Amino acid sequence: MIAANIDKIKQQIGMGVQLIAVSKTKPVPMLMEAYQAGQRAFGENKVQELLAKQAEMPADVEWHLIGHLQSNKVKPIAPFVYLIHSVDGFKLLEVINKEAHKNNRVINCLLQIFIADEETKFGLSEAEAKELIHSAAFEQLTNIKIVGLMGMATNTDDETKITAEFKGLKIFFDRLKEHRSTNFELSILSMGMSSDYMLAVEAESNMVRVGSSIFGTR
Ligand SMILES: *Cc1c(COP(=O)(O)O)cnc(C)c1O
């Protein structure tokens, strides 16, 4: 079942789009089923749960933190986290940088951009993102690298609205891409989940985060 779901989604999204299997709330045996089907990139939204699963899963899994991250939760994931999708402020970035430095590594991050018209979704506005990356303090962060942007569309059946939000983020992504520094080089546009990943791919997302369409409803 899980293997067939992954195959189907991969066919739909095509070769140029990376699939992150969002395994939150699902037990390790289900993750192992995905692993045995060749899946290596897994997404979790809670640090405790990510740590527990990381301890049980094979070492070559790439762990993606996709949910809101509190500064005081960065330390335990810093040694191994593959990509943090949900950076939404300078203070958090500073903490990630500090913990990455302690671990002698660079942690790749995405800036989460607020594109939905809902109050519950975290993220930076486009103006805030621009201000952040152009600040002098940002340049000093040598143990993080911003490699892309992440966005979540409004939870609605209105496909026109979802598409407009995704396309808006793609335009911002292309504009921001022109800015380059040692710790900033955009290549990843993470948008799309079970309900809207095909709309995201049509809007040129190159990384989709899919949970329930792989593992079943939560
Ligand atoms: C849960 C979650 C997903 C996946 O949601 P599904 O609808 O199950 O595909 C994607 N992105 C984030 C940030 C999430 O928290």
Side-chain angles (χ1 to χ4, degrees):
M1 245 279 275
I2 289 173
N5 292 341
I6 289 174
D7 270 1
K8 182 179 153 222
I9 294 164
K10 279 191 173 167
Q11 290 223 348
Q12 288 173 326
I13 63 180
M15 294 272 281
V17 181
Q18 203 196 341
L19 173 62
I20 310 302
V22 175
S23 47
K24 62 189 186 198
T25 78
K26 299 299 178 183
V28 167
M30 289 183 87
L31 277 68
M32 275 312 295
E33 225 179 301
Y35 182 88
Q36 268 142 15
Q39 184 68 29
R40 291 296 178 270
F42 289 83
E44 289 284 339
N45 67 337
K46 293 201 174 106
V47 167
Q48 284 312 319
E49 192 177 340
L50 191 159
L51 290 169
K53 288 173 177 171
Q54 189 253 350
E56 291 192 43
M57 292 288 291
D60 65 343
V61 167
E62 296 172 2
W63 292 100
H64 293 242
L65 198 284
I66 60 170
H68 181 64
L69 179 58
Q70 287 171 292
S71 299
N72 61 1
K73 301 269 176 69
V74 175
K75 193 191 184 84
I77 59 168
F80 67 88
V81 70
Y82 188 81
L83 182 65
I84 298 174
H85 290 231
S86 45
V87 171
D88 59 2
F90 184 74
K91 273 184 65 183
L92 174 60
L93 207 50
E94 255 184 323
V95 174
I96 297 170
N97 185 71
K98 190 179 83 188
E99 296 299 334
H101 182 73
K102 285 189 202 163
N103 285 281
N104 217 344
R105 62 180 295 232
V106 172
I107 296 181
N108 286 339
C109 299
L110 309 181
L111 294 179
Q112 182 173 353
I113 309 297
F114 182 87
I115 57 172
D117 70 357
E118 291 165 359
E119 279 173 24
T120 50
K121 302 236 159 103
F122 295 98
L124 298 160
S125 68
E126 293 185 359
E128 287 166 340
K130 269 194 265 180
E131 191 186 321
L132 193 161
I133 65 165
H134 288 107
S135 71
F138 176 71
E139 278 178 37
Q140 309 300 314
L141 305 180
T142 51
N143 288 85
I144 56 96
K145 188 169 189 187
I146 302 296
V147 296
L149 303 179
M150 186 270 253
M152 289 169 84
T154 303
N155 185 8
T156 172
D157 292 335
D158 184 351
E159 297 197 347
T160 310
K161 182 175 175 61
I162 294 169
T163 293
E165 290 172 354
F166 284 152
K167 285 189 172 164
L169 186 56
K170 164 67 174 161
I171 289 167
F172 183 59
F173 175 82
D174 286 340
R175 216 180 298 142
L176 224 56
K177 227 174 160 179
E178 288 164 24
H179 177 81
R180 272 202 210 140
S181 64
T182 336
N183 63 356
F184 189 90
E185 193 173 358
L186 298 189
S187 61
I188 297 173
L189 182 53
S190 168
M191 48 184 204
M193 33 208 274
S194 292
S195 59
D196 57 19
Y197 65 85
M198 284 314 294
L199 297 176
V201 167
E202 280 158 30
E204 292 181 66
S205 162
N206 58 22
M207 184 176 278
V208 294
R209 310 173 311 272
V210 180
S212 44
S213 292
I214 295 175
F215 299 107
T217 51
R218 287 181 298 272

